[in-house]
Amino acid sequence: MAKEDYYELLGVAKGATAEELKKAYRKKAVQYHPDKNPGNKEAEEMFKKISHAYEILQDPEKRAAYDRYGHAAFEGPGAGARGPGGAGGFHDPFDIFREVFGQQGGGGGGIFDEMFGGGSRDGGRDGSDLRYDLEITLEEAARGVEKEISFRKAVTCERCNGNGAEPGSKRVTCPTCRGAGQIRRSGGIITFTQTCPTCHGSGTKIEKPCTVCHGEGRVAKNTKINVRIPPGVETGSRLRSVGNGEAGLAGGSAGDLYIVLSVKDHELFERQDDNLFCEIPIKFTLATLGGTIEVPTLFGKASLKIPVGTQSGTTFRLREKGMPSLRGGRQGDQLVRVHVEVPQSLTPEQRKLLEDFARISGDAAEPTSKTFFEKAKKFF
């Protein structure tokens, strides 16, 4: 059965640059990673194939050999144990994934690790960042609020203080690489080095793993923290809590916690940037005669003057009664649109008074306004 071309597996041209190769591998590695495709054997096999292809092509010597001899460059005596596609002596595909996404330390390799962790030669790895989605009310977004949130995360194991070793035990030199962190492999006509599969590059190995964390150096724990939300936030605002993500491994720094906010819809107000919009019904007598009314705001009541002859749909502006600016600028306004209510039922006395008003005003003879009639004449 013919072996698949490495360039075709990654979806790049034969003359692709190192950056293009890396970009293509990252895309496909995320697509086919087993964490994203649990139980999918085909995706797992493809993940192995593209990792193997990338390992060959990202190394100038291996790539030159492959371009010249094809798959035969990595076959024959001394090739060692064969990996996917029949090539020998290559990295574990998860080691490739960790190296490309900046995680050369031990453990991990999950599909989302590329966004969070960072590796180091001594085996230390920074903890993952975490995301917490929090919903708040519009009133809380306007005034600011402090919230207690609880979540589960990996914390440093108290028994071993994060080193993964049982108290009284210690880390010893890795017997596979003898402390080098790397081993040499022979792949057909070329020899190359790779991260030690036993110690994952740290050069040391735990003599007796901790009985609580089983050598991980971390345990899962429920955590509570208080989060201060400043005035003016909106849906999509993101707050960063430094060091409140997952604990690092082997001395790595803790990740951060990102709180992503969403603001509930309000029954009265609609937000438009830093301005607030609302609609208020008023009596037709008030619209006709004018007057002053009290309108609600997120910060209490405010007086609004209604001029004589106000028409339905008129919008008024209450200066600086909207949302605070998150960046410290001028506070937004509140826009109030009035809707004139027409009475649906009248007492006999009210009806008589309105009929008298209509007669005095000449409404019976001209039920529509003169302005509208002048505009509409051309249609008749």
Side-chain angles (χ1 to χ4, degrees):
M1 182 173 166
K3 296 172 182 175
E4 295 175 88
D5 183 83
Y6 291 152
Y7 292 103
E8 291 181 1
L9 278 170
L10 293 176
V12 296
K14 192 171 181 179
T17 65
E19 187 60 33
E20 288 171 338
L21 284 170
K22 188 172 185 178
K23 184 177 180 181
Y25 170 74
R26 289 174 68 95
K27 182 178 179 180
K28 287 187 175 289
V30 171
Q31 179 182 354
Y32 292 109
H33 196 289
D35 285 0
K36 193 174 183 182
N37 303 275
N40 188 332
K41 295 297 182 182
E42 292 181 1
E44 182 179 353
E45 184 63 24
M46 181 58 74
F47 177 73
K48 293 177 182 178
K49 288 180 179 180
I50 60 176
S51 297
H52 176 67
Y54 176 72
E55 181 181 7
I56 295 294
L57 300 180
Q58 60 87 29
D59 184 288
E61 292 183 6
K62 295 180 190 176
R63 183 175 181 178
Y66 176 73
D67 289 344
R68 185 172 183 182
Y69 302 106
H71 293 282
F74 311 103
E75 298 174 346
R82 279 161 172 70
F90 295 101
H91 283 83
D92 182 297
F94 293 98
D95 286 340
I96 299 292
F97 184 85
R98 282 190 287 267
E99 289 171 5
V100 171
F101 288 104
Q103 294 186 359
Q104 299 175 22
I111 191 67
F112 297 112
D113 285 354
E114 83 248 28
M115 295 186 292
F116 305 127
S120 64
R121 168 63 182 81
D122 62 4
R125 179 159 64 87
D126 292 346
S128 298
D129 291 341
L130 297 177
R131 170 178 172 146
Y132 187 95
D133 293 317
L134 179 62
E135 187 177 58
I136 60 174
T137 65
L138 186 61
E139 287 86 353
E140 290 171 334
R143 299 187 181 95
V145 67
E146 187 170 302
K147 292 275 190 178
E148 182 183 76
I149 61 174
S150 60
F151 54 99
R152 193 169 180 82
K153 69 173 184 176
V155 300
T156 300
C157 176
E158 294 180 357
R159 181 172 178 81
C160 66
N161 292 320
N163 64 22
E166 183 71 8
S169 180
K170 58 183 179 180
R171 299 188 73 91
V172 296
T173 301
C174 175
T176 303
C177 65
R178 299 180 182 180
Q182 295 180 327
I183 56 175
R184 296 178 66 84
R185 295 283 193 189
S186 174
I189 63 174
I190 60 174
T191 301
F192 55 93
T193 61
Q194 71 174 65
T195 302
C196 175
T198 302
C199 67
H200 302 287
S202 67
T204 60
K205 179 183 176 183
I206 297 174
E207 186 178 52
K208 185 179 179 182
C210 173
T211 56
V212 174
C213 66
H214 307 291
E216 171 75 10
R218 305 182 302 184
V219 293
K221 183 179 180 181
N222 291 327
T223 305
K224 290 184 179 180
I225 64 169
N226 289 325
V227 178
R228 179 64 190 171
I229 300 171
V233 295
E234 59 186 341
T235 294
S237 292
R238 191 173 71 159
L239 308 177
R240 180 186 181 194
S241 182
V242 178
N244 273 316
E246 295 196 331
L249 289 171
S253 301
D256 298 330
L257 173 66
Y258 289 91
I259 300 97
V260 181
L261 302 174
S262 62
V263 181
K264 293 179 183 178
D265 291 337
H266 197 276
E267 61 181 355
L268 182 60
F269 298 107
E270 179 183 335
R271 183 173 181 173
Q272 299 172 349
D273 296 324
D274 286 341
N275 294 329
L276 294 174
F277 174 83
C278 70
E279 239 181 53
I280 295 179
I282 61 173
K283 303 294 183 181
F284 83 102
T285 50
L286 175 62
T288 304
L289 302 174
T292 301
I293 59 171
E294 286 190 330
V295 297
T297 75
L298 288 179
F299 306 94
K301 294 180 180 179
S303 294
L304 177 64
K305 184 177 181 181
I306 306 296
V308 173
T310 294
Q311 301 299 306
S312 188
T314 301
T315 300
F316 299 94
R317 184 181 294 269
L318 296 174
R319 299 286 180 183
E320 298 189 354
K321 295 296 183 181
M323 297 294 293
S325 172
L326 188 59
R327 297 169 181 79
R330 176 183 172 277
Q331 186 166 339
D333 301 330
Q334 179 171 318
L335 305 175
V336 182
R337 183 161 62 194
V338 296
H339 171 69
V340 179
E341 289 186 328
V342 177
Q344 296 179 336
S345 60
L346 298 171
T347 65
E349 183 181 2
Q350 290 171 332
R351 185 177 185 84
K352 183 179 182 306
L353 289 172
L354 279 176
E355 288 173 345
D356 290 343
F357 176 79
R359 186 177 61 255
I360 295 171
S361 304
D363 291 350
E366 296 180 355
T368 57
S369 70
K370 289 183 178 180
T371 304
F372 175 79
F373 186 75
E374 289 296 326
K375 291 179 180 179
K377 274 201 297 187
K378 64 181 179 180
F379 294 103
F380 298 97

